[in-house]
Amino acid sequence: MNSATVRNLLVRGMLAGLAAGVLALIVAYFLGEPNVDSAIGFEESHAAAHEHHEVELVSRSLQSTAGLATGVLIYGVAFGGIAALAFCFALGRVGRLGPRATALLLSGAALLAVYVVPFLKYPANPPAVGDPDTIGKRTTLYFLMMVLGVLLAVAAVILGKRLAPRLGTWNATVAAVLGFVLVIGLAYGFLPAVNEVPGDFPAALLWRFRLSALALQVTLWAGFGLVFGELAERLLHPGPAAVTAGTPVAAPR
């Protein structure tokens, strides 16, 4: 794949990430923000009971509109570009899959490794949950789990390809997946847990918040896979050029 093609795919990946970010923004605004408001209300009621008030540096209305849009769209564009570069490497190396199928497979793998793996160990919490003094520790553990998920996903693909000639594609895939799950399970067991949810925090609200966070990521990556797959297909496998008017066409023999 030459540099011009890689550059075109990178641009299309960023555009697809932007489009997916718009879809994710809709999900975040209509599903996530009401739960955030409820969590903030819970936090404010407890702060009022303890006569503790914090200065609001950024208004809630700005956070839930311009702030949310900026964060989600930049996230979509950035990860869209990274995923496009990963697509350039993966195309033709994961079986005889075309651009659309490769894009969807890559999006699913990215969702699993980048979000689901760390999410299951360190799930998202609303603003009212968590000790500000431990934010550095929690962030480090989350990113460690994310990096581990990505590295293990790559290792599983390499292992599956090396085992395929001896075990066959199906058995090699099963072995690679089982190895991935086993090592992730060991990481879950050895890494420290973080449980800072107050005992009186509404369980239903916590559940809805985490589901909305998961729905946002699923929408983002599924939207990226579909949009980028279509854009990559049109770039790499363009349809036959239409015959322009007046162009002589050779008669069949």
Side-chain angles (χ1 to χ4, degrees):
M1 191 176 292
N2 57 46
S3 59
T5 303
V6 172
R7 182 174 62 251
N8 289 332
L9 286 172
L10 175 61
V11 172
R12 282 162 173 77
M14 296 174 70
L15 291 175
L18 179 62
V22 172
L23 297 176
L25 177 61
I26 295 173
V27 173
Y29 185 79
F30 288 103
L31 292 184
E33 285 304 306
N35 297 317
V36 174
D37 289 335
S38 299
I40 291 176
F42 173 86
E43 184 180 32
E44 289 176 347
S45 65
H46 279 60
H50 294 84
E51 297 182 355
H52 175 69
H53 300 279
E54 294 183 354
V55 178
E56 187 179 50
L57 299 179
V58 181
S59 67
R60 175 62 190 144
S61 60
L62 184 61
Q63 293 175 16
S64 61
T65 53
L68 177 66
T70 301
V72 173
L73 295 180
I74 290 178
Y75 177 88
V77 171
F79 274 88
I82 295 173
L85 295 177
F87 171 88
C88 295
F89 176 81
L91 186 63
R93 291 183 170 92
V94 288
R96 299 180 179 180
L97 300 178
R100 289 193 185 98
T102 301
L104 285 174
L105 180 63
L106 181 66
S107 297
L111 173 65
L112 175 66
V114 175
Y115 188 77
V116 174
V117 166
F119 177 84
L120 293 177
K121 178 65 177 178
Y122 303 111
N125 287 327
V129 175
D131 183 357
D133 295 333
T134 64
I135 188 171
K137 175 186 175 182
R138 286 183 282 123
T139 302
T140 300
L141 288 172
Y142 184 89
F143 276 96
L144 175 62
M145 198 70 240
M146 183 176 69
V147 171
L148 186 61
V150 172
L151 293 178
L152 289 177
V154 173
V157 172
I158 296 174
L159 177 64
K161 289 180 67 67
R162 292 188 175 181
L163 292 178
R166 287 184 294 172
L167 302 180
T169 302
W170 174 258
N171 292 331
T173 302
V174 171
V177 170
L178 290 178
F180 176 83
V181 172
L182 175 62
V183 179
I184 288 295
L186 291 175
Y188 283 175
F190 282 105
L191 288 176
V194 177
N195 185 13
E196 298 181 342
V197 179
D200 58 344
F201 191 85
L205 175 57
L206 181 64
W207 178 248
R208 290 197 306 270
F209 178 85
R210 289 175 174 174
L211 280 183
S212 63
L214 181 60
L216 185 154
Q217 294 291 330
V218 171
T219 301
L220 179 70
W221 286 106
F224 172 80
L226 292 171
V227 175
F228 180 69
E230 183 63 29
L231 294 177
E233 181 76 27
R234 294 186 179 186
L235 174 66
L236 299 175
H237 297 153
V243 179
T244 58
T247 302
V249 179
R253 297 181 180 178

